[in-house]
Amino acid sequence: MLTRRISMLAIFGLLPALFVVGETVTLKQLEMEQEGTKLIRQVRDVAKDVHSHADQLNYVAGATQISKRTQRQQLDQIKSRVNERLRPALKRLIEIQPQLPAWHQDIIDQMLTSAKALAADTNSAIRNQNSDGLLNNAYVELIININKHAEALAKISDAAARSEERRVGKE
C-alpha cells in the first residue's frame, strides 16, 4: 500500500512538469505561427508595392514615347524590393516552414514559386533593355510577366493573411 501511494505521488508529481513542457511546445508553435503570419503580411505588402511598379512599367511599355530612364528606375525599384525586402522575408519563411501548419507550408511554396518567377523575369528584363530605349517584344513580354507574377504573389499572400486574421479572430 505504501509503495502504491509513493508511485501515485510520483506520477502526480510529474504531471505539472508534463503540462509545462506541453505548454512550452504550444507556445513555441504559436510564436512560429505568429512570425509566419507577420512574414506573410510583409510578403503581401512588398508584392503589392512591386505590382504597383510593374503596373507603371506596363503602362510605359504601352506608350509610344518611352523614357529609358523611367524604365530603368521602375526596374531598379522592383529589383530593390525583391532583393532587400522580399528575399529576406521568404528566406525566413523557408527556415521556419517545417514548424508551421500544413496550410502555411503550402502557401509558402506557392509564394516561393511566384517570387522566383518574378525575380527571374526582373533579371531578364534588366538584361534585355535596349540601350536606345526602344522596346522589343521579348522585353514587353517580360514586363507583362513581372506584372502577372507580382499580382499572383500579392493575391496569394493577401488571401493567406486574411485567412489567418479570420482564424485568429474566431479564437
Side-chain angles (χ1 to χ4, degrees):
M1 184 76 154
L2 183 61
T3 307
R4 183 180 167 117
R5 282 188 188 180
I6 292 173
S7 297
M8 293 301 274
L9 287 175
I11 290 172
F12 286 123
L14 290 175
L15 282 178
L18 291 174
F19 286 133
V20 171
V21 170
E23 289 174 12
T24 303
V25 170
T26 303
L27 182 60
K28 178 84 170 156
Q29 187 176 18
L30 179 62
E31 288 172 354
M32 285 290 157
E33 285 185 42
Q34 288 173 339
E35 182 180 7
T37 299
K38 178 183 166 199
L39 290 165
I40 288 170
R41 286 186 191 126
Q42 183 177 341
V43 169
R44 175 195 61 194
D45 294 345
V46 174
K48 286 181 177 183
D49 190 25
V50 168
H51 182 53
S52 173
H53 287 287
D55 265 347
Q56 290 175 2
L57 257 178
N58 225 8
Y59 172 74
V60 167
T64 54
Q65 294 281 328
I66 314 158
S67 162
K68 180 180 160 189
R69 182 176 175 212
T70 301
Q71 291 176 53
R72 181 164 284 128
Q73 286 175 338
Q74 293 302 321
L75 282 172
D76 284 346
Q77 289 294 321
I78 292 170
K79 177 183 162 186
S80 171
R81 298 314 189 274
V82 168
N83 288 338
E84 296 170 14
R85 294 176 55 207
L86 187 60
R87 183 182 305 187
L90 286 171
K91 182 180 178 194
R92 180 62 183 149
L93 276 169
I94 291 166
E95 289 171 359
I96 65 173
Q97 187 177 17
Q99 288 87 34
L100 297 175
W103 76 270
H104 269 106
Q105 293 179 25
D106 292 340
I107 292 294
I108 292 167
D109 288 339
Q110 292 173 33
M111 289 189 309
L112 191 57
T113 299
S114 289
K116 284 179 179 179
L118 171 64
D121 284 343
T122 301
N123 283 334
S124 293
I126 289 169
R127 285 192 310 269
N128 203 348
Q129 278 184 314
N130 285 336
S131 58
D132 58 8
L134 297 175
L135 297 178
N136 61 49
N137 289 341
Y139 178 78
V140 172
E141 189 64 33
L142 288 166
I143 299 305
I144 291 168
N145 287 340
I146 289 169
N147 202 6
K148 286 179 185 177
H149 298 311
E151 182 179 26
L153 185 57
K155 284 181 179 180
I156 293 165
S157 53
D158 189 48
R162 288 176 192 258
S163 176
E164 184 64 13
E165 289 165 359
R166 282 191 300 272
R167 187 186 72 79
V168 170
K170 289 181 181 179
E171 291 178 352

